[in-house]
Amino acid sequence: MARQDTRTPPGKGPVTQQLRLYSGLVLFVFASTHFLNHALGNISLEWAQRAQDLRIVVWWSWPGTILLYGALLLHVGFALYRIAMRRTFKMPAWEALQILLGLAIPYLLIRHIAMTRGAVARYHSFLDYQHELSVLWPGSGLTQSFLLVIVWLHGCFGLHFWLRLKPWYPNWRGTLLTFAVAVPILALTGWINAARRLVLEGQFQLKVTAEQTAELQVLADAGRIAFFSLLLLAIAVSLLRQFGTLGKRPITVHYLGEKSVRARPGPTLLEISRMKGVPHMSVCGGRARCSTCRTLIVSGGGDLPQPGLTEQQVLQRIHAGKNVRLACQVRPATDLVVRPLLNGGAAFPREGLQDRYRWGTEQPVVVMFVDLRGFTALSEGRLPFDVVFILNRYVDSVVRVIRKHDGMIDKVMGDGIMALFGVESGMAAGSRSALAAIVDLAEELKRVNRDLAAQLSAPLRIAVGLHGGSAILGRIGLDGRNGVASGLTALGDVVNVASRLEGVAKEQNALAAISLDVLKASGAGLDPFMPLLQVPIRGRLAPLDVACPASTAPILAALERAAAA
């Protein structure tokens, strides 16, 4: 029976943020179809025209028009509103770049809309793909290409910072990146090749007169003036909100174990941290979705307003304690003593937000436990120096083999070692690497026994437990403070099962106990390992199918099959 999925998704954020997100998704879908339409220009003008005819059926219909331009107005309107509500313009570089790209788009887009939809609405012209190319090439070729690139970058930035909170995203990130790079390249080459083909064939054809174009340009200029007037108004409102707190009595925010800062009431705790240069994690940019700005209110929390509905939902999702609040939602009006619960990045300045393991992620991995059998009997009657010497020789060998096969050492516990495979390469490649590592571990142990033969009463033997599945990966430790850096570790049911299988290998007097999940993921086939052993696992209703090879022969045969498949 499959385990129930207990993962908790990211918060949805306020209603305004949800509307901004969904309107952005509508615009991204439109941009994607538009750019793929351009890409067909690499084949022929006829293919591009057919695709445009299909797009017109959808986006130029009344429902499509309302959806598209409603999404555009909502998205731009909420962006301006968010600027107006800012109490500080200090922000991470990625957030600033996304905002700047978003503000640059209207300057170019307004004219594009005026010359296309505006011409149809005002002069009832039917503008086919040939006309659009005639208008854009060559005079507007550079600006139109620039518009295409910044629209795509802005959309991809937004998608990335939304999707990176999803547990499945790390496994699909490479595929999505390929799509994100390919689409603008194909779109740029497509429309430019089609336009140049029109020039060579002498088929340029404008369906709007010069006088009509001039009138449309006046409309475009008016639209640009209106937009930038609204932008200036939003910035003015933000500045008024920032300077409007000057008459208020300053408050003190003391970051436990760090420093104290003075600020005027009004900004959120996250904005105060940014204004004062205090590292404070916020993956979603203060949108009340990711919960990474969670903060323990050590004292002064009684004077804070109660959490709103959005904050309350996020706090319930993460099972937060009663004194934990989201820094992006709290607006302190009195002195506070606080402690951000997630590292803000000061200890790892080069990694920044690129290290997704800083705040944890869930993804499929292969977990290996390696244990030295009979270590207690081996250590009896020996001097501590001798025991440590033998153990170091063994551990060094095991670690070297695991790293050779792209495994990550999670931890070393005396004579036991926990390793992770497939963290970056995925479950399938990680399963094959782990199986190959078992083969090399057996060979390496022969060399260790040969080198230590004079010091051992009996050859060293190992037991390996191997299981794969979804695990929580994160950096657990001291946040890099006092010179101690946190290492990557895995948590969850997959770890417990792998540890249990290491014990099964000992019980069965086998080299390893390998779960069926790993064998299937590797593509190695089951024949070399038949029959499988059914192992009861605590907390599971159904037993787990496990292969317990006594030697490396079945593993080698399975790897050969996987390589030939």
Side-chain angles (χ1 to χ4, degrees):
M1 180 179 294
R3 268 194 317 130
Q4 184 179 1
D5 192 352
T6 58
R7 293 176 296 184
T8 54
K12 295 181 178 180
V15 174
T16 54
Q17 178 58 33
Q18 294 181 52
L19 288 174
R20 187 181 176 194
L21 170 64
Y22 296 137
S23 63
L25 291 176
V26 171
L27 296 175
F28 190 80
V29 170
F30 172 81
S32 298
T33 58
H34 193 19
F35 296 167
L36 290 173
N37 191 163
H38 284 324
L40 291 176
N42 286 305
I43 301 175
S44 70
L45 185 62
E46 290 73 23
W47 277 76
Q49 183 61 57
R50 289 175 186 173
Q52 176 154 302
D53 292 341
L54 291 176
R55 288 179 51 252
I56 287 175
V57 170
V58 176
W59 295 111
W60 288 51
S61 65
W62 276 111
T65 298
I66 293 172
L67 178 64
L68 176 61
Y69 285 93
L72 180 61
L73 291 175
L74 278 175
H75 200 68
V76 174
F78 282 127
L80 293 173
Y81 172 78
R82 185 168 175 79
I83 292 174
M85 293 298 103
R86 281 188 171 275
R87 298 278 187 160
T88 176
F89 289 114
K90 288 188 177 180
M91 66 190 80
W94 68 265
E95 192 175 347
L97 180 60
Q98 188 181 18
I99 291 174
L100 290 174
L101 288 175
L103 296 178
I105 290 171
Y107 178 81
L108 300 173
L109 186 61
I110 288 174
R111 184 181 187 277
H112 184 64
I113 294 174
M115 295 299 172
T116 53
R117 291 282 183 126
V120 173
R122 192 173 181 87
Y123 305 117
H124 305 288
S125 302
F126 175 73
L127 306 183
D128 56 12
Y129 197 70
Q130 184 177 358
H131 167 80
E132 290 193 12
L133 294 179
S134 302
V135 170
L136 297 175
W137 186 264
S140 301
L142 184 60
T143 55
Q144 192 67 18
S145 298
F146 182 63
L147 173 62
L148 187 153
V149 171
I150 63 174
V151 166
W152 190 251
L153 282 177
H154 180 72
C156 287
F157 274 139
L159 277 181
H160 169 70
F161 288 107
W162 170 52
L163 293 177
R164 69 174 180 170
L165 300 174
K166 309 291 185 181
W168 54 265
Y169 183 58
N171 294 330
W172 285 89
R173 188 170 51 184
T175 302
L176 294 175
L177 178 60
T178 302
F179 177 79
V181 173
V183 168
I185 293 176
L186 292 173
L188 287 171
T189 56
W191 88 265
I192 291 175
N193 283 335
R196 294 178 64 187
R197 197 177 301 123
L198 282 182
V199 173
L200 294 175
E201 296 174 359
Q203 296 184 18
F204 262 35
Q205 185 179 27
L206 292 172
K207 298 186 178 180
V208 178
T209 65
E211 292 77 10
Q212 292 173 337
T213 300
E215 291 180 9
L216 293 174
Q217 183 62 53
V218 172
L219 293 176
D221 292 339
R224 287 173 174 174
I225 292 172
F227 170 75
F228 283 110
S229 298
L230 291 174
L231 175 59
L232 290 174
L233 177 62
I235 295 174
V237 171
S238 176
L239 292 175
L240 286 174
R241 287 167 58 83
Q242 294 179 44
F243 291 114
T245 62
L246 292 178
K248 297 182 180 180
R249 185 181 67 84
I251 62 172
T252 299
V253 179
H254 177 67
Y255 295 84
L256 199 63
E258 298 294 339
K259 65 178 181 179
S260 296
V261 301
R262 301 275 285 173
R264 306 281 178 177
T268 65
L269 180 58
L270 178 62
E271 288 174 327
I272 292 174
S273 298
R274 288 178 172 178
M275 286 188 290
K276 302 302 180 179
V278 178
H280 209 140
M281 179 71 74
S282 178
V283 174
C284 70
R287 295 175 173 87
R289 297 189 64 246
C290 65
S291 80
T292 55
C293 69
R294 67 186 77 166
T295 302
L296 177 66
I297 309 298
V298 180
S299 68
D303 297 323
L304 293 174
Q306 291 298 311
L309 178 61
T310 300
E311 182 183 4
Q312 190 174 12
Q313 290 174 343
V314 176
L315 293 175
Q316 289 176 351
R317 176 178 59 84
I318 63 175
H319 307 290
K322 62 179 181 179
N323 293 327
V324 175
R325 299 292 299 271
L326 297 184
C328 67
Q329 301 299 303
V330 170
R331 297 185 184 275
T334 57
D335 295 348
L336 284 182
V337 178
V338 301
R339 180 178 180 270
L341 295 179
L342 292 177
N343 176 36
F348 302 90
R350 293 186 179 179
E351 294 176 2
L353 294 177
Q354 298 303 316
D355 184 4
R356 66 181 184 275
Y357 304 116
R358 180 88 53 77
W359 53 87
T361 185
E362 188 171 5
Q363 67 181 73
V365 292
V366 178
V367 180
M368 173 187 287
F369 277 85
V370 185
D371 193 62
L372 191 60
R373 302 178 62 175
F375 177 70
T376 302
L378 173 69
S379 60
E380 288 180 355
R382 294 181 181 272
L383 294 173
F385 172 81
D386 294 330
V387 174
V388 172
F389 174 77
I390 294 172
L391 196 57
N392 277 334
R393 176 69 175 85
Y394 155 76
V395 170
D396 289 345
S397 299
V398 173
V399 168
R400 184 169 59 254
V401 169
I402 289 173
R403 287 177 173 167
K404 171 187 172 184
H405 291 280
D406 298 325
M408 293 185 179
I409 303 300
D410 186 304
K411 57 180 66 72
V412 177
M413 305 156 288
D415 62 324
I417 298 171
M418 175 181 167
L420 308 176
F421 292 84
V423 173
E424 297 296 338
S425 58
M427 182 80 172
S431 298
R432 292 189 290 270
S433 295
L435 292 174
I438 294 176
V439 175
D440 277 4
L441 283 173
E443 294 301 316
E444 181 65 22
L445 196 61
K446 293 178 182 179
R447 287 188 282 272
V448 173
N449 284 324
R450 185 171 62 249
D451 294 343
L452 301 178
Q455 303 177 51
L456 299 174
S457 56
L460 299 178
R461 300 174 62 198
I462 59 172
V464 179
L466 200 62
H467 183 52
S470 184
I472 297 172
L473 301 182
R475 300 198 186 280
I476 312 297
L478 299 177
D479 297 332
R481 298 178 183 179
N482 301 320
V484 180
S486 303
L488 186 65
T489 192
L491 305 169
D493 179 65
V494 64
V495 178
N496 300 328
V497 173
S499 178
R500 169 74 178 97
L501 294 186
E502 178 244 294
V504 170
K506 291 180 180 177
E507 296 167 6
Q508 298 297 317
N509 197 29
L511 169 64
I514 307 168
S515 72
L516 180 62
D517 295 335
V518 171
L519 297 178
K520 286 183 175 179
S522 69
L526 304 180
D527 290 348
F529 300 102
M530 298 300 287
L532 298 176
L533 180 68
Q534 290 195 323
V535 176
I537 302 294
R538 181 183 301 176
R540 291 193 173 201
L541 297 178
L544 182 69
D545 289 326
V546 178
C548 295
S551 67
T552 60
I555 302 177
L556 284 170
L559 288 172
E560 290 176 358
R561 291 190 175 199

